[in-house]
Amino acid sequence: MENTGCFSYRDGQLYTEDVPLRVIAAAAGTPVYIYSQTELTQRAAAYHDSLAAISPQGQVCFATKANSNPTLLRWLAGLGLGADVTSGGELFLALQAGFSPDKILFSGVGKRREEIELALDNNIHALQVESAQEFDLIGQIAAARQQAAPISFRLNPDVASETHPYISTGTKAHKFGLAAEEIRRLAPTAAAHPWLHLKGLAAHIGSQITRLEPFTQAVQLVLALAAQLKSQGISLSYLNVGGGLGIKYAEAETQDFSPPTIADWVQTVARPVAAAGYPVFMEPGRSIVGPAGLLLTHILYTKQQGSHNFVITDAGMTELIRPALYQAHHPIVPVLPRAGTPQTVDIVGPVCETGDVLGRNRTLPPLQPGDYLAILQAGAYGFVMSSNYNGRLRPAEVWVNGSKWQIIRPRQTWQQLEA
Ligand code: LLP
């Protein structure tokens, strides 16, 4: 395994920053998510600083759907980030974490009335409108309250991206956003509306995208639409380029391509927008928190069945669903690698589903019950997608800073399954 700085081998065992993972496992139990505060901070700062250099009035809004641990959100708010939320629940968490309301964006195709009201109660930066009917509802609610409602339109740019079909969002085959024609039709109504305040345009084309071209294309389309609106006398106060920068999931030896850096991505998407005179907003999630987290599990049993060597761990699809849902590849490494001949194994969870696989055909040093395994690149869309299926408890979360570590969410208890 590549030493990444925050997760590295020293004296034959895996550390997060300066803490041996076996120490955390022994004290906090497994399965447990472990985050590196330093890695998270560096990634958030890379976005914040790269954007500040290009667009001082711009804003990085962390997509809280990627990880909404309250401690982690408080930390990101403290670093000056805003939040992109996707439900009343995430809006609540963002406000509780101390994100300044004027740095909060609310995206999502199915906002309920009470969620729109919560956003207006708290004067967030903008509700990102994703349908004509939602647009009408926000207008009605704002008029009834006699309160200006800040909105932006989310453009569906109809740009294809090479990512997993479940996480591609930016073509007309997807439910997200509004077509450019629809925005051109609605914008004059917004501009003339006594209680709607049209502030911006947004586009998010999908997630885990590792090439820059689709982003460049989407940004050009957002700029073209902003220019058309301007020629109709409708001027906007910011443009939002979305999120979606991918991270490197495969091990170095199986991957001949690295995703662009955060700084490269920010420059590519923000420069043209800033050059056109607009403050730039963005809503990255995965690339801030994904590489800063791992899932630590221990081996319950090993068994051979047919030609398969199964390694059964105490984590499964209930803790990390990405491999089962998207056939996602996460690197899996032993915490204390044993000497001996490597074996090819399937690492599977305890859930009663054939698809409950964490990693197939992995070649690893000899493994025994009780050994710890670390599933890397798991900080984004990990804990947040965990579930209680099969009566499983949501795992604990820990974070590490230098040689200090603390539990930032305790493991659920069986009693909580009754709530
Ligand atoms: N903004 C909007 C409107 C989004 O829908 C998303 C992600 C983001 C920002 C953040 O995108 P990111 O920078 O994280 O790529 N569960 C899937 C990912 C779903 C992403 C949904 N939208 C996974 O585990 O890969």
Side-chain angles (χ1 to χ4, degrees), residues 23 34 82 87 96 143 176 187 201 225 285 327-328 330 394 399:
V23 169
I34 298 175
S87 67
Q96 293 289 105
F176 300 99
L201 275 182
L225 181 56
Q327 294 76 50
H330 285 260
R394 283 179 206 263
W399 86 338

Side-chain angles (χ1 to χ4, degrees), residues 295-306:
L295 173 62
L296 185 61
T297 180
H298 88 261
I299 298 174
L300 297 169
Y301 306 104
T302 61
K303 71 175 181 182
Q304 204 179 359
Q305 208 136 267

Side-chain angles (χ1 to χ4, degrees), residues 63 65 84 154 167 204 207 244 283 285-286 322 326 381 385:
K65 63 172 77 66
D84 167 52
R154 176 169 171 187
I167 53 177
H204 172 78
S207 200
E283 35 191 58
R286 185 192 314 267
R322 302 194 70 262
Y326 314 117
Y381 307 110
M385 294 179 81

Side-chain angles (χ1 to χ4, degrees), residues 314-373:
D314 71 349
M317 63 187 291
T318 38
E319 287 68 38
L320 182 66
I321 201 173
R322 302 194 70 262
L325 190 57
Y326 314 117
Q327 294 76 50
H329 177 104
H330 285 260
I332 302 180
V333 296
V335 169
L336 287 138
R338 292 174 187 277
T341 314
Q343 266 201 322
T344 299
V345 296
D346 285 353
I347 298 157
V348 300
V351 174
C352 297
E353 294 272 348
T354 306
D356 181 25
V357 175
L358 292 171
R360 281 189 207 280
N361 287 323
R362 301 302 178 92
T363 303
L364 290 172
L367 296 170
Q368 291 179 14
D371 287 359
Y372 295 118
L373 293 176

